Amino acid sequence: MDHRLVLNFNIIFSIGLRLRAERSMNSGTAASPTVTSNCKKTTRTDMIADKSFIFYSLPKSRTTQRLTGGNIEKVWTGLNTFLANCTTVSINEPTSIQLTAYSAWKDDEHPELADKIIDDTRTVFGEPQTEPLSYHYPSGVPSTQTKNVWEFDKRDLSKVLDYLIAGQSWPKFTLGPVELIVSFNFNFIDPATKIELPNQQNKSSIIVWLSRSCSCSPDLYFPFDDADQNFKDYLNKIETHLPFKFEGKYLRLGRPNKNKTQYTFTKLKTE
């Protein structure tokens, strides 16, 4: 077998697992549903809501979607607009902040540039946690490419963001070379009244990745038990503030079972 294919598979597989794990860990909510044979989705969790809700989340086949705006400054402005107008959290109150710098992949040009970026980032923020990006299958031997991770408190957000913006445009590598991952947990509010919507038993979340390209992974819980006119009206209110393209095909209606031990998710039509 082509060793390059094996290594590329290892990268994709390990990153996919990492991103899915981060979505569940950072959201503070139930893990994303799993598909069953009857085209419904179910998930188990220790905390089951009493009421039905409408859920927006990307499928396992698509981990992220693009943030609108282009460069990091415009993306951040768009995210701020959404959080300020539609949620209970401000952009200065993230749940987690993580900066990651990657060493070059073996076929990347100018690997010394990636090494320099890691050294420069270390000079600014101190020693990172360094580990292999992936492991070869089936030997378990670690890959030569590493990821270097710094975690921050929210008071450091401006400094980290300024560092990332100042480095634009970052050189092109297979990964990174550096990315900022920020997550937010929140409840929804009415953009007009700024009053929190009632009956929100699950926290919504959004994880954003800022680098050469900017993307996000939203897990949104809307406290509506059906796609009625009230829900459609609320979507119309927030859609102009969303920092990503809202795709109705990812909406699901979530219902607790009789024993409140499991959710059942079914596809939802809004048109």
Side-chain angles (χ1 to χ4, degrees):
M1 181 181 292
D2 189 326
H3 291 294
R4 179 176 176 180
L5 291 178
V6 173
L7 293 175
N8 284 340
F9 171 80
N10 286 337
I11 286 181
I12 295 169
F13 183 73
S14 65
I15 292 173
L17 289 179
R18 172 177 65 86
L19 297 183
R20 296 297 300 185
E22 286 173 349
R23 285 178 64 188
S24 297
M25 178 180 64
N26 291 333
S27 67
T29 60
S32 296
T34 55
V35 180
T36 59
S37 59
N38 63 355
C39 297
K40 292 184 178 181
K41 292 187 172 184
T42 60
T43 185
R44 289 191 176 275
T45 176
D46 294 332
M47 297 295 291
I48 293 293
D50 295 328
K51 299 180 181 296
S52 299
F53 55 88
I54 295 175
F55 183 56
Y56 180 92
S57 183
L58 300 178
K60 290 183 178 180
S61 60
R62 183 184 178 187
T63 304
T64 63
Q65 59 187 118
R66 186 176 64 88
L67 285 163
T68 56
N71 64 32
I72 294 172
E73 299 97 314
K74 291 181 179 179
V75 164
W76 196 250
T77 297
L79 180 64
N80 183 37
T81 297
F82 165 65
L83 295 176
N85 288 282
C86 305
T87 80
T88 54
V89 71
S90 81
I91 202 163
N92 297 316
E93 300 173 319
T95 304
S96 64
I97 307 168
Q98 185 181 94
L99 186 69
T100 303
Y102 298 92
S103 63
W105 184 240
K106 69 172 186 176
D107 294 327
D108 286 333
E109 295 183 0
H110 306 297
E112 70 280 359
L113 289 180
D115 292 337
K116 183 178 186 305
I117 289 170
I118 293 172
D119 289 339
D120 291 345
T121 308
R122 182 184 290 112
T123 298
V124 176
F125 298 113
E127 289 298 319
Q129 178 180 341
T130 301
E131 59 185 55
L133 181 62
S134 62
Y135 295 83
H136 298 279
Y137 178 83
S139 67
V141 174
S143 67
T144 56
Q145 190 183 29
T146 63
K147 62 176 182 179
N148 304 269
V149 179
W150 294 261
E151 295 185 356
F152 300 96
D153 185 85
K154 61 184 179 182
R155 61 174 174 255
D156 300 313
L157 178 59
S158 294
K159 180 180 179 181
V160 182
L161 187 64
D162 288 345
Y163 176 77
L164 199 68
I165 291 173
Q168 295 181 113
S169 298
W170 294 95
K172 185 177 182 180
F173 287 91
T174 301
L175 290 173
V178 63
E179 66 179 3
L180 177 61
I181 307 172
V182 187
S183 69
F184 298 87
N185 295 345
F186 54 85
N187 286 339
F188 280 106
I189 63 173
D190 185 311
T193 65
K194 299 298 188 288
I195 295 175
E196 185 174 334
L197 300 187
N199 302 319
Q200 295 187 72
Q201 295 181 294
N202 286 308
K203 286 280 188 181
S204 295
S205 68
I206 185 169
I207 302 175
V208 300
W209 285 263
L210 306 178
S211 187
R212 280 180 51 85
S213 60
C214 300
S215 59
C216 69
S217 180
D219 282 346
L220 308 180
Y221 291 84
F222 299 100
F224 298 87
D225 57 14
D226 197 4
D228 56 14
Q229 192 60 47
N230 288 331
F231 174 65
K232 293 175 182 178
D233 289 344
Y234 185 70
L235 276 188
N236 288 334
K237 287 182 180 180
I238 71 169
E239 197 159 6
T240 57
H241 299 301
L242 289 173
F244 57 87
K245 180 182 178 182
F246 190 86
E247 300 182 52
K249 63 184 177 181
Y250 297 135
L251 286 171
R252 299 290 185 270
L253 178 63
R255 298 186 181 95
N257 67 1
K258 183 177 180 180
N259 296 323
K260 302 294 191 295
T261 58
Q262 192 175 38
Y263 289 129
T264 298
F265 290 82
T266 54
K267 289 185 178 181
L268 190 65
K269 293 183 179 180
T270 58
E271 297 180 356

